[in-house]
Structures are given as structure tokens and as C-alpha cells.
Amino acid sequence: MAGARLLRGAVGAAGFLVLGEVVIRFGLQGLGTPPPSVILYEAARMPADPDFLAGVGATLTNWALGLLIATAVAVPLGVLLGALAPLERAIRPVLEFMRPIPSVAIIPLAILLIPADELMKVSVIVYASIWPILINTLYGMHDVDPQAKESLRSFGFGDLAVLARVSLPSAAPFVATGIRIAAGVALVLAVSAELIAGGVAGIGVYVNVAGSGNRMDLMLAATFWAGIIGVIANVVLLAGERRLFHWHRVRTGVAES
Amino acid sequence: MTRKLRCNAIALGVAVALALTGCSGSDKPADSSADSKGLEKTTIKVGALPVPDAVSLYLANEKGFFKEEGLTVNPVIITGGAAALPQIESGALDISMTNYVSTFLAVSTGKKIKLIADCYQAGPNTFNIMVPGDSPLKTVADLKGKTVLVNNLHNISTLAVATQLKVAGLKETDVKFAEKPLPEMGAAIKSGQGEAGLLTEPFITATQSASGFRKLADTMTGQMENFPIAGWMATEEWSSKYPKTLAAFQRAISKAQQLASSDRKQIETMLPKYTKIDAKTASVITLGTYPSELNADRLQKVADLMLEYGYLKGAIDVKSVIAAPSSS
């Protein structure tokens, strides 16, 4: 079952690459666009390039740090707002206004305000990753089964006990989903900040240097790796979610995808 | 068991404490050696584009010219002179490469920045208007009503094209300018997003050899012959706060500029180390020149031309923007 799915995926990816190869080799020749075979060849060589490895290290460090800080800020905030309805109503308009602001657009402002380059990048990542985690935590807190809460209260448990025994475990799968979505957003912002602001090392910095040297193949190969890293992060976090919250998938009947 | 664990923890704590004191102890000699040179700041971050223009920064590092001055220079990749301005203002960078047109535009809006060293001057065929080999465009006059791609609007590229248009009897408003990053410009012209583009190296060589592009005009002729392109800048505040560090940087860079201008081989071996330009390309691309002195008269030409073409509202006395090398 899983094998067949993997095979179909592989066939799809291969077909896509072959199509790209044919279109570029015979249709867009002379545009300076390297075909997938060249990009994949360069991508395969990249793990031996110390510049690129330093770049991946720098990008992933900012990414992890930003995601960690965003989680540490957004989860308690989401729980607090979710537990205190009047507070949430007061803050919600601000949230709804700030959430859709394209985070990439605040990078120039961040450059001007935050002198330390790494701190600037991490701050931008934190800003962008807070929203998915916060909103998902809020949804999770709203989704708590009111009967479970009431029955616990009727047995004489206080608010804190209800929070710890019912609300938090019930909201946890939503929080995890929020973190997984934020991980993708954070990677986009980590690379975007490097593309816009430059820096000493980073996947985005590598793309900039490759571009200035007219190496479209290296630009695209580095971009390819950014995509791969994003996929790996998603797979790892999804597997973690499934292990931790298997009961949640059973309860809500989310189909295996 | 727990006692053993606690012992380990204590041992670890002592080790960390020792390591920390060891670190601070080893910092001291470094500081005092810096003091002997009298520099206010011994480690600086310098922004540079990964292009041939910036070669002296990397040469000075590799040849130890900065070290001789007691200076540790950490190069940082920037994405453009205009983009680097907020980075020197915020203190993210101590010094940055900039192009003179961006600098004077910024000065005209009241930015307190100083030019501290020269970097790059255009040579023949370093800023060319390029068109596809089969383009019907034969002369600059043919550009009337056409779209010209430039890497930055209202900057050195558009100014360069404007001076050529003037010779052909046209105005800047007779063509349409569109912004496109240099790496994508060749493909953008091929796909019809513009009829011509202002390209620099290594893109001139690349589009010529790979896509059969030809030169419509060399913009670094006439009014822009030997045009000063790029320099090193710092904020006025930084320049007055760290005069000795500034002077040390100026001496080292000047030495590297002399080396670059006297020995092309030095540039060719350096390029593959800090750019993705390979050795083969490095040996064939056209390079400008690397002046070792920041000359106000030469730079005044840039400000005057910007005034003539309406890039500046009022005249700028370039002398006031230069932080001259101190005699000390």
C-alpha cells in the first residue's frame, strides 16, 4: 500500500523532471535556463561545497532559534487568550490586522531597527511564525469538549486543574499543527531575509552570490535544497505529531493522508 | 548514584567556570596588542557585493594588509549599495561598499554618510547596452519607445543609458525602463520583457557567448568615460568616532587597490574565491580600474552629471562627503 503510493510519487516526480528537461532543452534553449539534469547534478555536488554547508548551517540555526522562540511566546499567549474570553475579544482585532501583513515586507524595517544581523533575521522569523502557532492554539482552546470541562468542575476541580487535565491535552494536537505550519513559514522567512539583507552565510546568501556570478544553475540547485529541507522538516514534524497524538486522529477521524 | 551525578555536575561546573575564565584571560593579550596600534575598534564588519568591483577587500584580507594594520575585517555579503545604507545606519555594518550615484542620492536626502575610500572605476565595455543578436535595433536612437531593462531604476544604469540617449538626440523619458535583476536580464530580454538591457560583467561576456547577444552601445564613453562607480562608505558618526580604525582601513584598502590595478592575475585568482565566477570566466571578462585614492575632483563629475540629468535637485560639493585619509 505504502510502497505503491511511493512508486506513484516517484513516477510523478520523474515525469515532471523529464518534461522539464525536454521543454528546456528543446523549447527554451538559449534563455540561459539550466535543465533539471544540470540543476540536480549541481545539487548533488553541493554537500561537498563548504560555502554551501556553512550557508545551510546558518539558515537552519536561525530557523530553529526563530521557531523555538515563536513557540515559547505563542503557545502560552494562545492558552491565556483562549482561557480568558474577554481578553481574547479585546486583542483579536489587533491579531487579525497583524496576521495578514506579508512578513517579507517587514524585513527592510527590521534591517533599520535591529543592528545585529542574526538577531534581525531571527526576529523576522519569530514574527512570521508566531501567527500560525497562536491562531492554532486559540482554535485548540476553543475546541475543548465543554462536557469534559463541566464534569471535571462538578467533581470540584479548580480552573487550573481543568486547564491542565482537559484543555491543554485537548489543544495540544492543534498546537503541534500550528508549529508544523510555522516551520514552513519560518524557512521561507529565513531564506527571504538572507536574500534581501545578505549576510555572512546562508542559503539565501549563497543564492545571491551565485546570481551575481551568473550561475543560474547554482541558484536553482540551492533553491532545490531549500525545498528539500522544507519537505524533511514537514515529514519529521508530521511523524512526531502522529506518534504523540494518535488518539486525536482517531477521535477526530482525520483520514490518513 | 545521585551522589556520583552531583559530583559530575560539580566537576562540569568547575570545568565550565575554568573554561570561561580561560577565555576571558586569553582575550586580554589580543586587546592589548590592538591597543598598541591605537585603533578604537579592531574588528569590523564590511559589506560588499560578490562582484569584481569589491576585489580589494578580499585581496587586503588574503594578503594580510588589514592584519598589518591590526584590523580584523569580516566581509558581509550585501545586496546593493542602497540596501546597505540602513545596515550602516543601524550599525549592522561598520563600512560598506556603495555606488556613487546611490550615495549622492542619499546625501541629497540628508543622510549623514561619508565616502572613505575609492573602489571601482568603469573602463570601456564594462556597462554595455546589450540586445539579442537578431534584434532589429541598430543604434541607440532605435531605442525610442522601447523598454530597457536595468538592475535598479533611477540609479547608475538609467543615468548611463540617459547619457547615450542624449547623444542620439533622445531624452530619458523617450524609453521605458523596467527593473530586472542582472542574472535574469538576458532571459527576460529573450522572452520579450524588454528590447535591451544594461549589463555588467560577468553578464556581458555570458550573454555574448551563450545567447549570442551583441553590444548596442558602451555607456562608459563620452560624458561617462572613466566614470567612478563604487566606493566604501561609513556613517559620519562612525567616521568621527573611529578615526584611527578608519585610517587603518584606508591604508590597507589603498594598498590592495594598487595591487589590483597593477596585476590583473591577482584579481583573476581572487574572483573564484569570493564570487561564483569561475577561473575561466575570470580570465576573459572585461574589468574596470581600481583607483587607490579618493579624488574629490573625479567624484565631482558624478554629482555634476546627476544634477545635469535631474537626479539631484541641487548641487553637491563632493569634498564635504569625503572623509579624507588622516595624516596620522
Side-chain angles (χ1 to χ4, degrees):
Chain A
M1 190 56 180
R5 220 174 59 217
L6 208 66
L7 186 71
R8 272 203 298 276
V11 168
F16 178 71
L17 289 176
V18 169
L19 184 72
E21 188 81 19
V22 169
V23 166
I24 289 169
R25 284 222 186 260
F26 299 101
L28 302 170
Q29 203 163 32
L31 277 188
T33 318
S37 58
V38 173
I39 297 166
L40 287 178
Y41 172 71
E42 289 299 339
R45 277 157 41 110
M46 269 180 171
D49 180 349
D51 281 353
F52 182 69
L53 285 185
V56 170
T59 303
L60 287 185
T61 306
N62 289 345
W63 172 77
L65 210 57
L67 198 59
L68 215 62
I69 296 172
T71 306
V73 172
V75 173
L77 194 64
V79 170
L80 190 71
L81 294 184
L84 302 169
L87 189 65
E88 191 204 334
R89 273 196 293 278
I91 288 181
R92 194 81 192 204
V94 181
L95 285 186
E96 292 302 334
F97 171 72
M98 289 179 81
R99 193 161 63 108
I101 294 176
S103 307
V104 176
I106 68 157
I107 295 173
L109 181 70
I111 293 174
L112 201 58
L113 294 180
I114 305 169
D117 181 57
E118 301 305 322
L119 184 65
M120 180 277 289
K121 285 169 182 163
V122 171
S123 307
V124 171
I125 296 167
V126 169
Y127 178 86
S129 342
I130 275 182
W131 309 117
I133 304 175
L134 183 57
I135 299 295
N136 271 283
T137 307
L138 271 177
Y139 286 152
M141 292 295 287
H142 291 167
D143 197 57
V144 176
D145 184 1
Q147 276 186 340
K149 279 204 278 196
E150 282 316 308
S151 40
L152 217 59
R153 283 213 176 90
S154 67
F155 281 112
F157 286 95
D159 279 346
L160 275 178
V162 172
L163 190 71
R165 283 164 192 258
V166 177
S167 300
L168 288 184
S170 159
F174 289 88
V175 173
T177 305
I179 293 172
R180 184 162 51 83
I181 295 168
V185 173
L187 187 64
V188 170
L189 263 293
V191 177
S192 301
E194 291 160 357
L195 279 172
I196 293 173
V200 177
I203 298 174
V205 175
Y206 188 94
V207 169
N208 264 337
V209 175
S212 298
N214 193 38
R215 291 298 301 272
M216 184 72 89
D217 51 346
L218 294 182
M219 286 173 83
L220 294 174
T223 310
F224 171 81
W225 272 112
I228 294 287
I229 290 167
V231 168
I232 292 172
N234 193 54
V235 166
V236 168
L237 289 171
L238 197 61
E241 261 176 71
R242 281 189 179 151
R243 280 181 79 104
L244 276 171
F245 309 118
H246 187 68
W247 47 271
H248 174 73
R249 305 189 78 81
V250 173
R251 182 170 74 83
T252 55
V254 179
E256 286 283 323
S257 58
Chain B
M1 187 72 175
T2 39
R3 174 172 290 176
K4 195 179 171 194
L5 204 66
R6 198 176 300 146
C7 281
N8 282 346
I10 290 168
L12 187 72
V14 170
V16 167
L18 281 175
L20 286 176
T21 48
C23 278
S24 62
S26 68
D27 272 353
K28 283 214 169 79
D31 280 350
S32 60
S33 79
D35 287 346
S36 71
K37 288 274 183 190
L39 301 185
E40 304 89 353
K41 196 170 187 183
T42 54
T43 302
I44 55 172
K45 285 185 184 173
V46 179
L49 287 167
V51 294
D53 311 26
V55 73
S56 59
L57 181 73
Y58 296 90
L59 273 178
N61 241 348
E62 175 143 308
K63 303 284 175 189
F65 298 162
F66 288 130
K67 272 278 165 286
E68 284 166 25
E69 299 286 349
L71 206 52
T72 303
V73 171
N74 296 320
V76 178
I77 303 289
I78 57 166
T79 56
L85 192 61
Q87 290 172 310
I88 62 162
E89 285 182 310
S90 76
L93 296 173
D94 294 290
I95 293 169
S96 177
M97 193 177 155
T98 178
N99 73 75
Y100 292 121
V101 175
S102 288
T103 310
F104 295 141
L105 281 173
V107 167
S108 75
T109 64
K111 297 283 185 195
K112 303 279 182 219
I113 44 180
K114 290 280 186 191
L115 290 165
I116 61 170
D118 208 341
C119 182
Y120 191 67
Q121 179 169 308
N125 293 315
T126 51
F127 284 75
N128 289 353
I129 303 175
M130 304 290 290
V131 293
D134 58 359
S135 166
L137 306 177
K138 298 288 178 236
T139 66
V140 175
D142 296 337
L143 285 173
K144 192 178 164 89
K146 301 285 191 285
T147 300
V148 181
L149 303 183
V150 291
N151 70 333
N152 283 121
L153 289 172
H154 199 65
N155 212 308
I156 188 155
S157 303
T158 49
L159 181 65
V161 176
T163 61
Q164 292 297 312
L165 292 172
K166 190 186 180 193
V167 176
L170 298 175
K171 285 197 293 284
E172 197 171 321
T173 46
D174 286 328
V175 301
K176 287 189 280 277
F177 286 106
E179 221 169 66
K180 191 64 64 180
L182 284 164
E184 284 104 62
M185 213 179 267
I189 294 169
K190 279 239 164 181
S191 65
Q193 295 175 46
E195 280 81 13
L198 189 84
L199 289 166
T200 56
E201 290 288 26
F203 303 99
I204 294 173
T205 301
T207 50
Q208 261 169 345
S209 61
S211 312
F213 274 44
R214 63 180 161 81
K215 172 176 80 173
L216 190 71
D218 173 4
T219 60
M220 294 297 143
T221 54
Q223 282 184 299
M224 291 190 99
E225 196 179 344
N226 295 326
F227 198 70
I229 300 293
W232 300 99
M233 67 169 170
T235 61
E236 207 171 284
E237 193 194 347
W238 193 95
S239 315
S240 55
K241 201 171 163 191
Y242 307 109
K244 286 179 179 158
T245 304
L246 171 65
F249 179 83
Q250 287 172 325
R251 284 190 295 268
I253 275 289
S254 170
K255 215 167 151 182
Q257 292 280 95
Q258 275 166 23
L259 185 64
S261 59
S262 63
D263 187 357
R264 185 182 160 119
K265 272 272 164 283
Q266 297 282 353
I267 303 173
E268 288 177 14
T269 47
M270 205 64 223
L271 281 180
K273 293 181 189 172
Y274 75 95
T275 71
K276 289 292 169 193
I277 298 173
D278 56 69
K280 208 178 114 214
T281 309
S283 66
V284 296
I285 56 172
T286 310
L287 294 172
T289 55
Y290 298 86
S292 43
E293 212 183 323
L294 199 56
N295 183 310
D297 293 339
R298 245 179 327 110
L299 297 191
Q300 191 64 48
K301 197 167 86 173
V302 179
D304 293 348
L305 204 64
M306 288 172 72
L307 185 65
E308 183 187 333
Y309 284 84
Y311 282 63
L312 294 176
K313 297 257 182 315
I316 288 180
D317 178 15
V318 168
K319 271 196 199 71
S320 67
V321 187
I322 289 178
S326 59
S327 47
S328 67

